[in-house]
Amino acid sequence: MGLLDGIKDGIKYHLSDEPEWKGGKRFEDYVEELFDPQYYSIVEKTHSYRQNEDRYVESSMNPDFVFRYKRTGDLFAVECKYRSGGLNPKGMLEWSNARQLERYRAFAKERGGIPVFIIIGFKGGFDDDPEDMFVIPLEDAKYPTLYPSIFNKYSRNPRKPFFWQRGALS
């Protein structure tokens, strides 16, 4: 890759409206940066849109990350969702669809009950610097759409590094 290719990729990363970049990849990268490598190792990470374009990797259906908390060896999974719009006409946050939700539940079960967390960047700000962020345990994200009374319980400072303690991610 030449210097100009690198510059073009950098511009595309920050400005593109393509599905690979818009919301998805940039938000995943933002979330990843909030997990300090001193405390967390990445065990699994979904493949990029570009990699899947050549040959689809089935594990791309899993949550975006599986992290290991180094101090205890605990494993947990994270699915990242950025939602730039507001709530739907019923006043709910649409974070998933029914099939995705079932896949995440099946993943947790197949992996022996591994905790899965849905990290949502929401309205305002940008996908790589959201104004609001929520970290919702999968068992509390029971539906593909959530009322504010549910997701607001899991609000967090979107610029603060993540903290893992006794099975809870904050």
Side-chain angles (χ1 to χ4, degrees):
M1 175 192 291
L3 178 61
L4 288 177
D5 290 331
I7 292 170
K8 284 191 284 187
D9 282 348
I11 291 169
K12 189 177 197 178
Y13 178 84
H14 290 286
L15 301 177
S16 178
D17 280 338
E18 291 181 27
E20 171 185 9
W21 302 108
K22 189 176 181 182
K25 176 72 172 123
R26 287 186 295 245
F27 185 63
E28 288 172 23
D29 289 349
Y30 182 80
V31 168
E32 181 180 340
E33 290 297 316
L34 295 175
F35 284 94
D36 187 333
Q38 179 180 346
Y39 302 107
Y40 304 95
S41 60
I42 298 173
V43 177
E44 296 176 31
K45 184 176 178 178
T46 56
H47 293 80
S48 72
Y49 178 82
R50 193 172 291 160
Q51 288 168 318
N52 278 327
E53 210 172 36
D54 293 335
R55 186 168 184 182
Y56 190 76
V57 179
E58 288 183 17
S59 64
S60 296
M61 303 292 273
N62 295 342
D64 295 312
F65 297 98
V66 174
F67 287 101
R68 179 186 320 279
Y69 183 56
K70 291 180 179 180
R71 289 187 175 176
T72 62
D74 293 348
L75 294 175
F76 59 93
V78 166
E79 174 63 21
C80 304
K81 300 286 187 181
Y82 181 76
R83 297 296 182 254
S84 59
L87 303 178
N88 71 15
K90 293 182 178 180
M92 301 173 79
L93 172 63
E94 295 180 16
W95 73 271
S96 179
N97 63 50
R99 285 190 326 192
Q100 286 177 322
L101 180 55
E102 277 309 308
R103 280 199 319 268
Y104 304 143
R105 287 178 180 152
F107 172 87
K109 186 176 179 181
E110 289 166 8
R111 299 288 182 100
I114 186 173
V116 177
F117 297 89
I118 311 304
I119 299 178
I120 302 172
F122 185 59
K123 73 177 181 174
F126 298 95
D127 49 8
D128 59 354
D129 187 21
E131 186 177 304
D132 295 320
M133 183 181 279
F134 308 96
V135 180
I136 308 168
L138 181 62
E139 61 267 14
D140 289 347
K142 296 179 184 191
Y143 306 100
T145 56
L146 301 171
Y147 283 108
S149 61
I150 300 297
F151 65 80
N152 280 332
K153 290 191 280 187
Y154 300 100
S155 180
R156 72 178 309 274
N157 179 339
R159 287 159 197 84
K160 183 179 130 192
F162 283 101
F163 182 72
W164 175 259
Q165 185 175 19
R166 292 187 219 114
L169 183 64
S170 61

